[in-house]
Amino acid sequence: AAVFSSEQAMSSPPVPLDFLRTYDAVACSILAQTASDALTATQRQQLKKHINSAFDFAKLGKLALADHWERRSADEKALFVDTFESIVGEQNFSSFVDYYNKNIKIDFLDEEVEQNKALVRAKVPTRNDTVDIIYLMHRREGQWRVYDLVIDEASTATGYYKRYARFLNKKPFEQLLAQLEKQRDRLLAR
């Protein structure tokens, strides 16, 4: 995959497909620097930062809360996004490291781009089958960012929305935040 120089990135951002291919290649190169399965603290932090840099957690969080989003104050939204990003970021890191450690090569197939939105289709071979992934992306601050993954026709944003809506139909938003903070703390303690 082509690697873009910072000059190229400033003049015109890569198309979504090239962005994801480059993103994938960089993650593989970070992992290739280790002689074993154990990442150093520096490599772990570098890889986690890289993996999560492709995502727009604010947009994903807004989609996860859907109609509950507008009812929140600016402070509540900020606290939710911060906590949500920590949780999803930690889960992303674990999932992606597992994927990269198995030397699975993602096959980026094609893209559909309409102004500042894009859809990129990919396939990931597994032991017994192939997983279809659709990256839903948008351009934010001049860069392409993933705001939802659709894995075998299941949307990540919709999954979070269903879980949080069920919770919020029974309990107040403050309890959801408390639950998410506990979940974040457990994940970060591992």
Side-chain angles (χ1 to χ4, degrees):
V3 178
F4 294 92
S5 71
S6 55
E7 248 178 51
Q8 288 171 308
M10 296 296 267
S11 63
S12 64
V15 295
L17 194 59
D18 288 340
F19 168 80
L20 288 173
R21 285 181 176 143
T22 301
Y23 165 85
D24 187 57
V26 169
C28 288
S29 74
I30 293 169
L31 271 174
Q33 296 170 21
T34 91
S36 66
D37 287 345
L39 292 167
T40 67
T42 302
Q43 290 166 328
R44 181 178 170 79
Q45 196 57 34
Q46 181 185 18
L47 186 58
K48 186 184 293 188
K49 183 179 178 184
H50 174 71
I51 287 170
N52 291 315
S53 71
F55 290 86
D56 184 344
F57 293 107
K59 172 84 171 177
L60 179 57
K62 184 177 180 179
L63 292 172
L65 285 182
D67 53 332
H68 295 278
W69 179 262
E70 294 307 320
R71 295 183 223 155
R72 308 287 40 107
S73 70
D75 287 345
E76 287 174 322
K77 289 174 183 177
L79 183 56
F80 174 80
V81 169
D82 184 57
T83 307
F84 181 74
E85 179 175 349
S86 294
I87 292 167
V88 178
E90 206 51 44
Q91 292 170 335
N92 278 352
F93 176 73
S94 298
S95 298
F96 280 77
V97 167
D98 186 46
Y99 150 73
Y100 288 118
N101 277 336
K102 291 179 181 173
N103 290 317
I104 297 171
K105 299 295 178 208
I106 192 164
D107 185 14
F108 295 100
L109 303 172
D110 60 18
E111 67 184 7
E112 292 176 25
V113 180
E114 188 172 311
Q115 296 179 355
N116 289 323
K117 289 199 170 199
L119 174 151
V120 176
R121 286 180 203 72
K123 288 192 178 287
V124 178
T126 64
R127 186 183 314 217
N128 301 322
D129 203 1
T130 301
V131 176
D132 293 320
I133 299 177
I134 296 174
Y135 294 82
L136 297 176
M137 303 173 72
H138 69 151
R139 197 179 311 217
R140 191 185 98 205
E141 298 171 3
Q143 298 296 316
W144 288 105
R145 293 291 175 256
V146 177
Y147 66 86
D148 194 10
L149 289 174
V150 180
I151 303 169
D152 280 343
E153 299 182 18
S155 160
T156 303
T158 301
Y160 285 117
Y161 166 73
K162 287 178 181 178
R163 187 175 322 139
Y164 297 159
R166 274 193 304 271
F167 189 96
L168 290 170
N169 285 336
K170 298 175 188 166
K171 298 179 182 175
F173 183 75
E174 295 74 24
Q175 282 188 329
L176 174 63
L177 277 178
Q179 289 292 99
L180 292 176
E181 287 169 353
K182 287 179 189 175
Q183 182 182 1
R184 176 199 59 206
D185 294 345
R186 280 192 307 271
L187 285 168
L188 294 175
R190 292 192 287 172

